[in-house]
Amino acid sequence: MSIQSIDVLYTAVATAENGRDGRVSSDDGKLDVVVNPPKEMGGSGAGTNPEQLFAAGYSACFQGALGVVARQEKADISGSTVTARVGIGKSAAGGFGLKVDISASIPNVDAETAQELVEKAHQVCPYSNATRGNIEVTLSVD
């Protein structure tokens, strides 16, 4: 797999202090959150965590990609939602890895059209392109 070359339109900048048990903030001040490991991983669970932040970004990005595809296909996706579930666990190769489940609810189209739209969105979503071939990503339609 070759590395994708892009013309950068925007660069997000965030800085973490104290890793998974600290704070993450963006350079423009719009994001400033406490991060803590979840209770399931021995943490306090008091703040958000990197997996929640990744799920939030992925779901928003995928919803945007779905909108692009829907406009091209002239499909009505009003009222639709995209949910990303990001799992973290030990990998067989050592260390930790991620797994993502993307589910979309698209109430104004039939199930077959919804599935086609989700599969096409997966081909254009920047998060999907970044993770393809690196982690398991499953797609479903509610």
Side-chain angles (χ1 to χ4, degrees):
M1 177 181 261
S2 63
I3 295 177
Q4 182 182 41
S5 177
I6 64 167
D7 290 325
V8 175
L9 300 174
Y10 167 75
T11 299
V13 179
T15 302
E17 300 172 26
N18 297 321
R20 287 182 159 272
D21 210 359
R23 170 175 242 87
V24 177
S25 60
S26 61
D27 65 334
D28 62 4
K30 293 180 181 177
L31 177 72
D32 189 354
V33 295
V34 171
V35 291
N36 300 113
K39 289 182 180 180
E40 296 85 348
M41 293 179 67
S44 70
T48 189
N49 59 67
E51 292 70 39
Q52 287 176 331
L53 294 170
F54 188 66
Y58 203 160
S59 63
C61 188
F62 199 95
Q63 179 76 39
L66 185 62
V68 168
V69 169
R71 283 189 294 282
Q72 292 170 345
E73 301 289 323
K74 299 192 180 1
D76 179 8
I77 64 159
S78 58
S80 66
T81 60
V82 172
T83 301
R85 292 171 179 82
V86 175
I88 183 172
K90 292 183 179 179
S91 73
F96 287 83
L98 299 175
K99 175 184 176 182
V100 178
D101 295 314
I102 300 283
S103 61
S105 173
I106 312 173
N108 295 325
V109 299
D110 60 73
E112 182 179 332
T113 301
Q115 187 66 41
E116 289 173 5
L117 291 171
V118 166
E119 288 173 13
K120 288 179 180 179
H122 188 50
Q123 296 307 307
V124 299
C125 174
Y127 276 63
S128 292
N129 288 333
T131 59
R132 187 171 290 110
N134 298 310
I135 65 173
E136 180 183 347
V137 177
T138 58
L139 306 173
S140 64
V141 175
D142 297 335

